[in-house]
Amino acid sequence: KEKRLTRLKHSLTAMGDAEKRYQTVYQLFKEYESYHFDSAFYYARQAKRQAVLLKNRNYEVQAGCAIVFCHLSAGLYKEAFDAMSEIVHQGVDTEYQKQYYMMWTRLYYDMANYNNSQPYEQHYVAQGNLYTDTLMQYIPEGTEYWYYAQAQRQMKSHDFAASTETFMKMITLKDIDPHLQAIAYSCIGW
């Protein structure tokens, strides 16, 4: 991993193509996102700057969601809500709409877990469910992300039997993303 990170960082110094620079900076964020918070946050902000320079709204959404992810991972919920509210998603491609709604869903569900008291938890779950409804319009039914979104909604609504059944359907899919599969196993154990 360290060799890959070093190679990516070195490639940035000689990179003139702005599009490739964005992709490399975003890739560095992805490498660091669950590995080292400070570096992930640094590269998320660099990606946002590069996206703005490129005037690429798809990348602006993607980089904005990366910043929100960093805030969430650090438990900075106010900052996550503030950063999420700054993202302009109208008119972006479907893949970036999906990222946008996935992040809103995660934000509200994480807030429900953090708060864990009524009536606030119920409010956050309800908001997360609304964003899940919209998210599922961007995800083909029967795909790993469709099952994941459905299972998360069921789990947050305390329908654990249905959630487990949905996660089990998801983890048996062919060619499932190993990271998403690991999250599903973790959720089943929750």
Side-chain angles (χ1 to χ4, degrees):
K1 185 168 190 98
E2 289 297 329
K3 287 180 183 178
R4 188 169 54 245
L5 290 167
T6 300
R7 189 173 53 251
L8 284 168
K9 289 177 192 175
H10 285 299
S11 72
L12 280 175
T13 58
M15 196 171 288
D17 182 291
E19 176 85 17
K20 287 182 181 174
R21 185 169 185 77
Y22 171 82
Q23 292 171 359
T24 302
V25 169
Y26 186 75
Q27 187 177 355
L28 279 161
F29 156 74
K30 293 298 286 179
E31 291 286 338
Y32 279 116
E33 73 180 332
S34 296
Y35 175 63
H36 193 269
F37 169 78
D38 292 344
S39 295
F41 189 55
Y42 172 80
Y43 286 110
R45 290 182 315 181
Q46 291 300 315
K48 178 71 173 186
R49 285 189 194 105
Q50 194 65 34
V52 169
L53 287 173
L54 285 167
K55 296 181 177 148
N56 184 317
R57 298 215 14 245
N58 289 329
Y59 288 168
E60 287 180 41
V61 168
Q62 184 176 54
C65 288
I67 291 168
V68 173
F69 177 87
C70 291
H71 290 317
L72 279 174
S73 297
L76 301 171
Y77 295 106
K78 181 198 179 307
E79 290 79 1
F81 274 104
D82 290 348
M84 202 66 214
S85 296
E86 292 175 4
I87 298 173
V88 178
H89 70 99
Q90 291 81 6
V92 299
D93 294 343
T94 299
E95 178 60 30
Y96 301 94
Q97 292 283 3
K98 184 175 93 173
Q99 289 177 27
Y100 174 81
Y101 287 108
M102 284 176 78
M103 193 54 61
W104 268 120
T105 298
R106 165 115 191 251
L107 179 53
Y108 275 108
Y109 286 160
D110 281 11
M111 276 299 296
N113 286 345
Y114 174 76
N115 188 281
N116 197 28
S117 64
Q118 297 303 335
Y120 308 108
E121 179 185 16
Q122 184 178 355
H123 166 74
Y124 292 128
V125 168
Q127 288 301 115
N129 288 345
L130 288 174
Y131 280 106
T132 299
D133 289 342
T134 304
L135 168 63
M136 292 182 78
Q137 295 173 25
Y138 293 98
I139 304 171
E141 188 172 340
T143 62
E144 60 191 351
Y145 285 100
W146 186 89
Y147 281 122
Y148 179 75
Q150 184 70 16
Q152 281 288 315
R153 173 205 304 242
Q154 293 163 335
M155 186 171 69
K156 299 305 179 187
S157 299
H158 300 281
D159 189 353
F160 300 117
S163 175
T164 299
E165 184 179 328
T166 304
F167 275 127
M168 292 303 291
K169 287 177 185 174
M170 183 186 108
I171 61 177
T172 60
L173 291 173
K174 185 180 180 186
D175 299 325
I176 185 173
D177 173 20
H179 179 72
L180 195 59
Q181 187 177 41
I183 291 171
Y185 278 119
S186 173
C187 290
I188 290 170
W190 187 73

